[in-house]
Amino acid sequence: MPLRNAYRPPGEAGLWESFLRRLEATIRVAQIHPATIQYLTHPKRVVGVSLPVVMDDGSVRNFTAYRVIHNIARGPALGGVRYHPEVSLGQTCGMAAWMTLKAAVYGLPFGGSAGGVAVEPGKLSRRELERLSRRYVTELIELLGPDEDVLAPDVGTDQTIMAWFQDTFTMTRGQTILSAVTGKPLPLGGVSLRDEGGGQGLVYVLADLARANGWPLEGATVAIQGFGQMGGAVARYALKEGLKVVAVSTSRGGVYNPEGLDVAALEAYYQKWGHLAGFPGGRPIANLELLSLKVDYLVPAALEGAINEQNARQVQARVVVEGANGAVTPEAEYLLRLNGAEVVPDVLANGGGLVLSYLEWVQDLSMLFFEEGEVQQRLRQFVHQSLQAVLERARPLGGDLRVGAYALALERINEATRLRGVYP
């Protein structure tokens, strides 16, 4: 088999294994040189570090952390940093590979990277979280930078943490380099709408596909698993497109109203209480029940593997749009398609955040800053162009968006690899 000698990280490797399986399926229909396959199946750099952090009580606690660069054929690496107790090396390798593909689908001059710390951030004080964040950058400082590996937010990290990353990088290097970190607050070189980009881009993709394929749009129902930055933005922009948000959930449960939820009231309630339990505008719903609702669109926007072999048969949505990377496992996607559901792949659906990281990187390199209207326009343009390229590539492949997007990405990476050659 072509991937027989692929890199295998120790321990749990589900997301990396999913990437390898999808890669193997795609190279059957795409013209990819064996050398490119070797690059793609072996991450360029895999780093694991232990982060000693002084806790508020004076004790020292060590946290396991990772940073992986998957591929740099098309440009410097860029990828998020995840704070979550289930962070693992295999997951981080898979996330880095997803970023490589996503950047290629969107035609951006990046390779893919990813990082993470095995921690439950909600159990740390603000000072402990700051010490942990600064230690992460300090341990990796020689491996980071705007021309090598650019940090971005992911699950469990936000603008505040990105600001700490940026300040630590600046103070350690002795010079202000804004473009080393994206997802920063506006006063530190951030870009407008950065927290909105992932959800906004997803809704743009969904709306364009609906219009192209004759799917329902005005008044169509959508259920969203995950109500963080991605899920919240999906809900807001779905309303602007005329969709009806009937269910949302977090890891602690959700809320359902078949007549449609008041998203603004729901966000205010969640911001105040930190959960959705007791929200008066709908009835409680568990995550598994949300995934099985009969809706037009289902958006799993929490973590990878949300729709898997065990629950895929219960999914009744007409279209599943991956808000989270790897939200649908390969086995689950096969079962969904057998049941007649369409799947919009992550590398196309959730690229809006990456586009805004690119715009932030560009403006910080040039010190010429984008206005909000220009950010909106450029995001819309990137989504439209990328979707059209995927549709064109998918057409001779039976219209399969997953295979079309992967084939497009791999062929672009393959061409860059061919032109660069193998050093030395």
Side-chain angles (χ1 to χ4, degrees):
M1 297 294 290
L3 308 185
R4 184 169 48 198
N5 65 340
Y7 170 73
R8 307 287 176 179
E12 184 278 326
L15 200 57
W16 175 250
E17 290 295 333
S18 291
F19 163 72
L20 293 179
R21 290 185 59 184
R22 296 196 186 282
L23 176 63
E24 188 168 3
T26 307
I27 61 179
R28 296 170 185 161
V29 299
Q31 297 298 315
I32 308 299
H33 193 277
T36 303
I37 296 173
Q38 287 296 306
Y39 277 117
L40 292 171
T41 56
H42 295 82
K44 173 179 171 56
R45 178 187 295 155
V46 177
V47 177
V49 294
S50 178
L51 309 179
V53 176
V54 177
M55 310 303 284
D56 288 346
D57 63 4
S59 64
V60 175
R61 181 178 169 189
N62 278 276
F63 297 86
T64 300
Y66 305 101
R67 189 69 185 174
V68 173
I69 292 180
H70 175 246
N71 186 274
I72 58 166
R74 291 174 49 84
L78 184 146
V81 181
R82 175 173 295 193
Y83 286 2
H84 192 274
E86 296 180 9
V87 162
S88 68
L89 181 56
Q91 178 197 66
T92 307
C93 289
M95 294 295 294
W98 249 259
M99 291 298 289
T100 298
L101 297 177
K102 199 180 306 181
V105 167
Y106 275 79
L108 299 172
F110 291 125
S113 63
V117 182
V119 61
E120 193 165 348
K123 291 188 176 181
L124 300 184
S125 72
R126 180 181 174 86
R127 286 294 300 157
E128 289 169 342
L129 192 62
E130 180 177 354
R131 294 187 198 108
L132 174 69
S133 301
R134 291 182 181 278
R135 186 70 190 220
Y136 181 80
V137 173
T138 301
E139 291 287 347
L140 300 171
I141 191 69
E142 298 301 325
L143 308 178
L144 304 175
D147 300 317
E148 185 169 6
D149 186 11
V150 181
L151 301 177
D154 197 346
V155 174
T157 55
D158 57 15
Q159 288 191 4
T160 297
I161 292 173
M162 295 301 112
W164 292 334
F165 284 170
Q166 173 61 46
D167 183 66
T168 305
F169 186 88
T170 293
M171 298 304 292
T172 305
R173 289 289 183 92
Q175 53 183 325
T176 300
I177 306 176
L178 297 177
S179 50
V181 178
T182 66
K184 306 181 299 296
L186 275 173
L188 298 182
V191 71
S192 299
L193 303 172
R194 177 59 182 82
D195 292 345
E196 306 278 295
Q200 186 176 1
L202 184 146
V203 174
Y204 284 161
V205 170
L206 188 159
D208 282 359
L209 281 172
R211 296 184 183 102
N213 296 328
W215 299 343
L217 192 58
E218 185 71 32
T221 54
V222 58
I224 306 166
Q225 184 204 38
F227 203 51
Q229 284 186 4
M230 168 65 79
V234 169
R236 289 191 295 276
Y237 284 94
L239 289 181
K240 293 181 179 181
E241 289 289 346
L243 292 158
K244 183 165 62 175
V245 179
V246 298
V248 301
S249 69
T250 70
S251 60
R252 301 171 64 181
V255 61
Y256 171 58
N257 185 339
E259 301 304 315
L261 294 166
D262 183 335
V263 172
L266 189 63
E267 286 192 300
Y269 186 91
Y270 184 58
Q271 185 175 11
K272 179 178 180 179
W273 299 106
H275 57 76
L276 302 177
F279 178 70
R283 71 167 177 84
I285 187 172
N287 269 297
L288 190 59
E289 184 184 358
L290 180 143
L291 294 175
S292 64
L293 290 174
K294 192 170 184 179
V295 292
D296 295 301
Y297 303 104
L298 173 62
V299 182
L303 296 172
E304 64 274 4
I307 301 178
N308 50 58
E309 192 173 10
Q310 284 68 47
N311 60 24
R313 291 178 178 85
Q314 281 72 56
V315 173
Q316 299 184 73
R318 179 174 180 174
V319 181
V320 177
V321 188
E322 283 189 296
N325 291 329
V328 179
T329 67
E331 298 87 354
E333 186 159 350
Y334 172 75
L335 295 172
L336 290 173
R337 293 188 182 281
L338 281 181
N339 200 35
E342 298 279 351
V343 178
V344 183
D346 40 21
V347 294
L348 173 63
N350 67 15
L354 177 59
V355 171
L356 264 66
S357 278
Y358 165 70
L359 295 178
E360 184 174 344
W361 179 74
V362 167
Q363 74 172 14
D364 289 347
L365 284 173
S366 64
M367 289 297 181
L368 294 173
F369 295 87
F370 299 118
E371 298 291 337
E372 183 174 320
E374 190 173 4
V375 172
Q376 291 269 17
Q377 179 183 0
R378 289 178 181 271
L379 173 61
R380 192 73 186 84
Q381 183 179 14
F382 268 107
V383 169
H384 177 75
Q385 292 176 343
S386 303
L387 177 57
Q388 294 308 308
V390 170
L391 289 173
E392 183 176 345
R393 188 63 186 88
R395 197 168 294 119
L397 301 171
D400 189 312
L401 291 174
R402 171 86 64 187
V403 179
Y406 271 58
L408 176 67
L410 294 180
E411 287 160 0
R412 286 175 170 176
I413 296 166
N414 184 70
E415 179 64 4
T417 304
R418 182 189 70 81
L419 291 169
R420 291 178 61 145
V422 178
Y423 178 84

